[in-house]
Amino acid sequence: MKKLTVVFIALLLTVFAFSQTKLVFWTAPNPQQEMFWKEVVAEYETLHPEIDIEWSTIPAAGSSEEAILTAIASGRAPDISTNIFSGFAAQLADIGQLVALNELEGFDELVETRKMGSIIEGWKINGNAYVIPIYSNPVLMWWRDSLLKEAGFDNPPRTYSEIYEFSKNFVVPMERYSIQVIAGRNWWDRWFDFITYYYAGGQGKSYIDTERMKATFNDEVGQEVAQFIKTMFDNQWTAVDLGSDPFYNGAIAGTLMGPWSIAYAENQYPDVVDDIVITPPPVPDNYPSDQPIYTFADAKGLVIFNTTKNLEEAWEFVKWVFSREDFDSKWLEYTKMPPAREDLLSNEVFADFWETNPLAAEYAKYVPYAVPPAPITTTVDVQDIMTVELIEPLMHGTKDVQKALDDAIKAINRILW
């Protein structure tokens, strides 16, 4: 009898397993985000035992984009994935891989519920919404207050000339530098240096005219930004190699950072946290003092792939997640990254968090002035060209400002067409 009971239970479990709908769900390989999604997925599966969400982080590769493209090519794309930036979404939509979410029932209600009406407009590609934006991270300047005061500055420098003056007082050759001007040589590093500076100096103007599909950053703002970068390297006020964690170790006094760095600072360098002052990115000297300073938005979202065999179930899961205010509150608590909502500073759900997390609150102030990357399908190629034709020549002094800009524009426009 006992044997029959065991067989019966095993049979029931087998039948139940086969009756479940499986959704493959990938998220960003980030400890804080993983903690969030683990709890969300577990709650959904408890509420919906008929759904089995096979959740994992995006497979290891050179980048998330590379891993996803490889999966598509081999027929192993997930049903749903996060960690999608606007340019990559444009690329995926261009090759017909994404579901147009605005065509699904309940989309308008979800946009209204999550207060993301104007945000979603900025993510549209050819009139369609393929992405639910999860977060919008303004990139801002971090300064070490004690190091500023050591150089005679009570307030952080705001303009390029003020950074030059600070550098003269602070820099010790081969020992310490004023700021980190260039983030690195990867294509994505251009988001955290030239493009951020360009948005700041140009009041959010895009570096690519997406209607004419032409690069436009060889204008007056681009010249000022490029001259700023060149001046910092020419005078050795910054360097290519600044060592490990130079901001926390005092090798530099300022650098551009996203809000994801707050958790790292709190965990790895708690003694430095109270010394951090956050400002918008530096701007040209003639930038109006009464105007807001824009910046780059490191913004990522979620998509559903059109290869899914369970679109209805996938969409129900997505709607459930993003209709819950408490999930956005939990996301903020775990990641310190502002959810892509328009009511961050007015919604009482988030009020306690801002009060107890003043560094994160600084980021919330700039969400309205944070601009995502240009939605083009050739983001990687465009930003690789920026590195080779513009940034590296400025770093090494092998071209003057105008030639570096003109060479970059010419090469980029060749691939945009």
Side-chain angles (χ1 to χ4, degrees):
M1 183 63 186
K2 185 177 179 182
K3 187 175 180 181
L4 282 175
T5 303
V6 170
V7 171
F8 179 70
I9 292 173
L11 184 62
L12 274 180
L13 289 173
T14 302
V15 170
F16 179 69
F18 276 106
S19 67
Q20 280 187 308
T21 297
K22 186 170 82 172
L23 295 175
V24 178
F25 178 37
W26 289 358
T27 61
N30 171 285
Q32 288 77 34
Q33 294 186 42
E34 290 168 35
M35 188 165 57
F36 169 81
W37 285 113
K38 182 179 181 181
E39 294 182 14
V40 169
V41 167
E43 183 174 336
Y44 193 76
E45 288 183 327
T46 300
L47 293 171
H48 299 273
E50 76 281 9
I51 303 294
D52 171 25
I53 298 180
E54 189 177 287
W55 165 67
S56 68
T57 58
I58 296 170
S63 66
S64 295
E65 294 76 23
E66 184 181 325
I68 289 170
L69 289 173
T70 300
I72 290 171
S74 59
R76 295 181 294 104
D79 296 290
I80 310 167
S81 181
T82 70
N83 213 34
I84 308 294
F85 76 91
S86 56
F88 188 45
Q91 184 179 355
L92 293 173
D94 190 55
I95 57 176
Q97 288 295 320
L98 300 184
V99 172
L101 304 177
N102 54 299
E103 295 178 356
L104 302 180
E105 186 177 351
F107 175 81
D108 292 339
E109 291 80 0
L110 179 62
V111 171
E112 172 57 29
T113 298
R114 195 168 181 248
K115 309 299 181 193
M116 53 181 178
S118 62
I119 294 174
I120 208 93
E121 287 299 315
W123 280 81
K124 283 188 174 177
I125 300 163
N126 299 326
N128 281 320
Y130 294 98
V131 185
I132 297 293
I134 299 175
Y135 61 86
S136 179
N137 289 328
V139 173
L140 299 176
M141 198 77 183
W142 285 25
W143 294 95
R144 291 285 299 274
D145 187 51
S146 61
L147 301 182
L148 291 173
K149 287 186 166 57
E150 186 181 322
F153 276 65
D154 290 332
N155 297 304
R158 175 178 174 274
T159 65
Y160 299 159
S161 284
E162 290 175 6
I163 289 181
Y164 300 156
E165 287 304 309
F166 170 73
S167 301
K168 292 173 187 173
N169 294 350
F170 181 76
V171 171
V172 177
M174 306 299 290
E175 184 176 320
R176 68 180 189 183
Y177 302 89
S178 54
I179 66 171
Q180 181 174 11
V181 175
I182 296 302
R185 290 191 171 89
N186 297 302
W187 65 265
W188 57 81
D189 288 323
R190 301 295 72 79
W191 289 333
F192 308 110
D193 46 52
F194 184 83
I195 292 172
T196 290
Y197 299 135
Y198 188 80
Y199 279 157
Q203 297 187 307
K205 176 179 175 289
S206 178
Y207 49 99
I208 303 288
D209 181 338
T210 54
E211 289 189 6
R212 297 188 303 138
M213 291 307 287
K214 281 185 174 294
T216 56
F217 56 81
N218 61 340
D219 56 8
E220 183 179 348
V221 173
Q223 291 167 0
E224 290 177 304
V225 171
Q227 185 61 59
F228 169 60
I229 294 170
K230 188 173 188 303
T231 299
M232 295 299 292
F233 278 100
D234 284 352
N235 289 281
Q236 299 182 36
W237 291 332
T238 190
V240 176
D241 184 6
L242 296 166
S244 177
D245 286 345
F247 178 79
Y248 304 106
N249 293 324
I252 56 172
T255 186
L256 291 168
M257 294 275 204
W260 57 86
S261 297
I262 296 173
Y264 180 76
E266 290 174 341
N267 291 328
Q268 301 298 320
Y269 296 94
D271 294 341
V272 174
V273 171
D274 288 342
D275 197 36
I276 295 171
V277 178
I278 296 179
T279 71
V283 289
D285 296 355
N286 62 356
Y287 193 91
S289 59
D290 61 347
Q291 293 296 311
I293 296 176
Y294 287 71
T295 187
F296 172 75
D298 171 67
K300 299 283 179 63
L302 173 150
V303 299
I304 300 177
F305 288 88
N306 69 7
T307 47
T308 182
K309 295 176 181 175
N310 301 295
L311 176 58
E312 183 179 346
E313 290 83 358
W315 179 231
E316 285 302 316
F317 171 66
V318 171
K319 285 193 297 181
W320 177 80
V321 171
F322 292 102
S323 61
R324 295 270 298 265
E325 279 186 343
D326 58 322
F327 282 162
D328 276 329
S329 180
K330 179 180 290 191
W331 171 273
L332 189 55
E333 179 185 345
Y334 286 4
T335 69
K336 306 287 192 293
M337 298 194 292
R341 307 180 55 111
E342 293 152 4
D343 62 347
L344 287 177
L345 294 177
S346 60
N347 192 325
E348 286 298 317
V349 169
F350 308 112
D352 289 345
F353 179 84
W354 301 131
E355 187 161 342
T356 55
N357 292 273
L359 294 181
E362 287 300 312
Y363 279 91
K365 294 177 186 174
Y366 287 91
V367 169
Y369 307 111
V371 184
I376 55 176
T377 61
T378 51
T379 295
V380 175
D381 294 331
V382 165
Q383 293 180 201
D384 274 340
I385 290 173
M386 278 187 181
T387 302
V388 173
E389 298 291 349
L390 175 62
I391 299 301
E392 290 185 343
L394 294 175
M395 291 165 59
H396 300 300
T398 55
K399 293 180 187 176
D400 64 35
V401 163
Q402 194 58 58
K403 179 165 176 52
L405 285 166
D406 290 345
D407 287 352
I409 290 283
K410 184 177 179 182
I412 288 171
N413 285 342
R414 199 177 295 136
I415 65 168
L416 286 176
W417 277 87

